Amino acid sequence: MRLPDGTSRIWIDGVGVSLDRATVAIDDPGLQAGLGLFETLAVVQGSVLDLFPHLERMEAGADVLGIELPPRSQRVATVERAAADLADSPRAWLKILALRSGR
């Protein structure tokens, strides 16, 4: 697994930011109490595998935890943009996080 480096792009609230600008407040309930959820997606040559089952699982978890997600169309567009950034990699992983704070 390759962790983000100085050239990696992180997406927060649908906006691509540099690694040094990607922050979550230390008092965010997602960090302090685990009030959040995530999905890890496989990306092959810039295409996400099984995107919609991942989104459906995330939506079900969000309903249980009372997390309001952005509209699905916005999440799909952001994931597709992030995956396109990985088109030069034969295989990669993309992690989607949703925190109770709305981040």
Side-chain angles (χ1 to χ4, degrees):
M1 172 163 70
R2 183 173 59 92
L3 296 174
D5 59 24
T7 64
S8 296
R9 183 175 229 173
I10 309 295
W11 296 81
I12 296 182
D13 301 332
V15 177
V17 297
S18 61
L19 183 62
D20 63 333
R21 307 235 347 134
T23 61
V24 175
I26 193 67
D27 63 347
D28 188 290
L31 297 179
Q32 291 297 315
L35 295 175
L37 42 94
F38 69 90
E39 286 288 324
T40 303
L41 312 170
V43 179
V44 177
Q45 297 177 330
S47 295
V48 178
L49 302 180
D50 301 320
L51 175 58
F52 291 100
H54 283 285
L55 293 178
E56 289 165 7
R57 188 170 38 242
M58 181 171 252
E59 290 160 0
D63 286 344
V64 170
L65 294 174
I67 295 174
E68 186 174 336
L69 297 174
R72 183 183 269 211
S73 60
Q74 181 182 342
R75 288 180 283 132
V76 168
T78 301
V79 167
E80 288 176 347
R81 285 194 312 264
D85 284 351
L86 300 167
D88 292 338
S89 300
R91 292 189 178 104
W93 300 103
L94 182 64
K95 184 167 287 207
I96 309 172
L97 299 157
L99 304 178
R100 183 102 176 257
S101 64
R103 304 284 327 260

